[in-house]
């Protein structure tokens, strides 16, 4: 019989579980109900009280807590996860695939003689136990199963709703961990200012900038700094996440005028990212297939382009505005300025 362990961790405050952890808890609770097997949740982090948020799952809760485990570090996180797995003796281990656990999952699976699969988007219990993931930049969906156990499954963020049960005082089993010699010391935390960070996975809207923003406009001139201001004003007012076409981020390497706040990290598409947002607005982008394939998981797709024959109008967007994005975004920013508190 299968048994399930969900590996979770707290956020930087040490007192709450991360959103991706709560998503994995939902996946574990649903799977345990479908299989009729016991559920354990393992927690790594600063404060034991963070487990109160998942008390209503009625799962067995195991925790490795304390100052050494508040912040991510390979050696301490791997040791904590290994101890949780050895205590729970689970056959299926669901892992929240944020950067913290994505880094240690393969190492922990190796220590336990198990196997690991990443980018899991769904778990199916339909006769056989199978999981799904996408390959080749989300062009091919595959369903797979494995006989070897324990099987570690890293769940892609956004594929399950975050668990939101009524908080209660959780019964938690504290697991002792003998730490190996630690080479990495955490001396503090530095993060960019909120408006300097343009990639926001939790934003409701993805705003994509294309190469058109830096092209010559009807007056024969480029208007790159005006473009930059329009985009940044819009991001500040809406909290949208910023994506880019490849052509635009590539321009920096070609010595052309660029938008200084864009890097290849912003690139969406076949050789970029495949973000998940309820809505997307593309501007000054042609909507070519290698770009649009990165929009696979965007719910409502809209585009502003001057070209009535662009890829977006050929069935790739739900709504296309054939218009000058400079004028449209200026108007939108004016309207947003009036609606700000
Ligand atoms: C193997 C491979 C992998 C690739 N991977 C990716 C990838 O991951 N991501 C990606 O994005 N691309 C990728 N590409 C490149 C992709 O094919 C396109 O070349 C690229 O997406 C084009 O970017 P763009 O639409 O911003 O630029 P352009 O094709 O130059 O289009 C600019 C658009 O802006 C419009 N425009 C100009 N001014 C305005 C204005 N004032 N208002 C409104 N619209 C305006 C123009 O009408 C035009 O449609 C890949 C290509 C290959 C071969």
């Amino acid at each position: 019989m299968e048994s399930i362990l969900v590996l979770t961790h707290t956020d930087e405050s040490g007192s709450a579980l991360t959103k991706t952890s709560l998503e994995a808890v939902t996946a574990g609770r649903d799977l345990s109900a479908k299989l009729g097997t016991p559920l354990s949740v393992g927690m790594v982090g600063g404060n034991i009280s963070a487990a109160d948020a998942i008390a209503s799952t009625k799962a067995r809760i195991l925790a490795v807590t304390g100052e050494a485990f508040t912040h991510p570090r390979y050696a301490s996180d791997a040791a904590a996860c290994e101890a949780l797995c050895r205590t729970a003796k689970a056959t299926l281990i669901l892992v929240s695939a944020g950067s913290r656990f994505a880094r240690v999952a393969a190492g922990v699976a190796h220590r336990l003689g198990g196997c690991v699969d990443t980018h899991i988007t769904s778990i199916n219990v339909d006769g056989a136990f199978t999981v799904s993931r996408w390959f080749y930049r989300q062009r091919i969906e595959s369903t797979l199963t494995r006989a070897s156990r324990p099987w570690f499954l890293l769940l892609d963020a956004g594929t399950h709703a975050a668990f939101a049960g009524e908080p209660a005082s959780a019964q938690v089993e504290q697991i002792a961990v003998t730490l190996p010699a630690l080479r990495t010391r955490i001396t503090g935390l530095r993060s960019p200012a909120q408006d300097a960070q343009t990639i926001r996975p939790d934003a409701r809207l993805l705003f994509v900038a294309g190469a058109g923003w830096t092209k010559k406009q009807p007056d024969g001139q480029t208007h790159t700094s005006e473009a930059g201001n329009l985009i940044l004003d819009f991001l500040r007012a809406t909290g949208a996440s910023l994506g880019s076409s490849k052509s635009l981020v590539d321009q920096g390497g070609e010595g052309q005028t660029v938008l200084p706040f864009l890097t290849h990290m912003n690139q969406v598409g076949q050789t970029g990212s495949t973000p998940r947002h309820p809505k997307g607005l593309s501007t000054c982008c042609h909507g070519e297939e290698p770009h649009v394939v990165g929009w696979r998981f965007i719910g409502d797709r809209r585009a502003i382009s001057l070209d009535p024959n662009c890829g977006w109008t050929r069935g790739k967007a739900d709504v296309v505005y054939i218009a000058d994005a400079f004028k449209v975004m200026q108007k939108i920013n004016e309207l947003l300025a009036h609606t700000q508190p």
Side-chain angles (χ1 to χ4, degrees):
M1 183 166 111
E2 304 283 11
S3 56
I4 304 159
L5 170 67
V6 179
L7 287 177
T8 65
H9 64 81
T10 55
D11 62 15
E12 282 153 10
S13 72
S15 53
L17 291 173
T18 60
K19 182 163 172 277
T20 50
S21 291
L22 292 169
E23 290 173 6
V25 170
T26 300
R29 184 206 52 187
D30 293 352
L31 181 60
S32 131
K34 282 184 197 155
L35 290 174
T37 52
L39 173 68
S40 302
V41 178
M43 183 182 90
V44 180
N47 301 333
I48 207 159
S49 59
D52 290 353
I54 53 167
S56 62
T57 57
K58 305 274 184 258
R60 177 187 183 195
I61 303 178
L62 311 167
V64 174
T65 55
E67 213 189 321
F69 302 100
T70 304
H71 295 294
R73 171 176 42 200
Y74 187 92
S76 45
D77 282 345
C81 290
E82 182 185 352
L84 291 167
C85 292
R86 291 197 188 282
T87 307
K89 296 188 176 59
T91 55
L92 300 171
I93 299 170
L94 310 189
V95 188
S96 66
S99 59
R100 182 166 180 179
F101 276 0
R103 199 159 56 136
V104 298
V108 178
H110 181 72
R111 290 181 194 185
L112 274 93
C115 58
V116 60
D117 280 286
T118 58
H119 291 296
I120 304 302
T121 52
S122 68
I123 303 172
N124 320 300
V125 184
D126 196 6
F129 176 80
T130 58
V131 296
S132 302
R133 62 157 294 176
W134 296 80
F135 287 97
Y136 188 43
R137 286 285 158 197
Q138 332 304 344
R139 282 187 163 93
I140 301 169
E141 188 184 12
S142 125
T143 300
L144 57 132
T145 190
R146 287 185 192 276
S148 82
R149 298 287 186 272
W151 190 8
F152 285 68
L153 300 166
L154 275 128
L155 305 173
D156 259 4
T159 53
H160 294 83
F163 179 77
E166 198 59 42
S169 179
Q171 294 284 327
V172 180
E173 296 171 47
Q174 287 265 28
I175 308 301
V177 175
T178 312
L179 283 172
L182 298 174
R183 284 185 307 174
T184 307
R185 274 189 315 117
I186 294 139
T187 56
L189 206 62
R190 273 192 291 170
S191 47
Q194 184 58 31
D195 59 356
Q197 177 56 272
T198 57
I199 300 170
R200 300 165 179 156
D202 289 336
R204 288 191 45 73
L205 175 70
L206 171 72
F207 177 89
V208 159
W213 282 110
T214 57
K215 296 258 163 79
K216 281 187 182 163
Q217 293 302 307
D219 62 359
Q221 306 293 317
T222 58
H223 297 274
T224 311
S225 78
E226 187 191 337
N229 290 335
L230 284 170
I231 293 167
L232 288 178
D233 285 349
F234 179 76
L235 296 181
R236 275 188 212 108
T238 58
S241 187
L242 178 63
S244 173
S245 70
K246 180 165 162 46
S247 296
L248 184 55
V249 286
D250 278 353
Q251 283 176 5
E254 301 302 324
Q256 294 178 37
T257 337
V258 287
L259 298 171
F261 46 84
L262 277 172
T263 73
H264 280 94
M265 295 295 286
N266 295 92
Q267 185 184 319
V268 170
Q270 181 181 337
T271 42
S273 63
T274 312
R276 291 168 191 268
H277 299 274
K279 293 183 175 185
L281 176 64
S282 158
T283 54
C284 295
C285 168
H286 194 78
E288 282 187 28
E289 179 60 17
H291 175 74
V292 178
V293 72
W295 284 61
R296 192 110 197 175
F297 301 119
I298 304 298
D300 179 320
R301 305 164 176 204
R302 299 192 178 201
I304 307 170
S305 174
L306 278 178
D307 183 358
N309 221 3
C310 69
W312 299 113
T313 58
R314 292 169 173 262
K316 289 179 183 160
D318 301 300
V319 179
V320 185
Y321 306 96
I322 305 302
D324 184 332
F326 280 83
K327 291 187 183 148
V328 177
M329 294 315 297
Q330 189 176 1
K331 186 71 189 166
I332 289 176
N333 284 344
E334 281 168 21
L335 292 170
L336 284 169
H338 289 301
T339 58
Q340 296 304 299

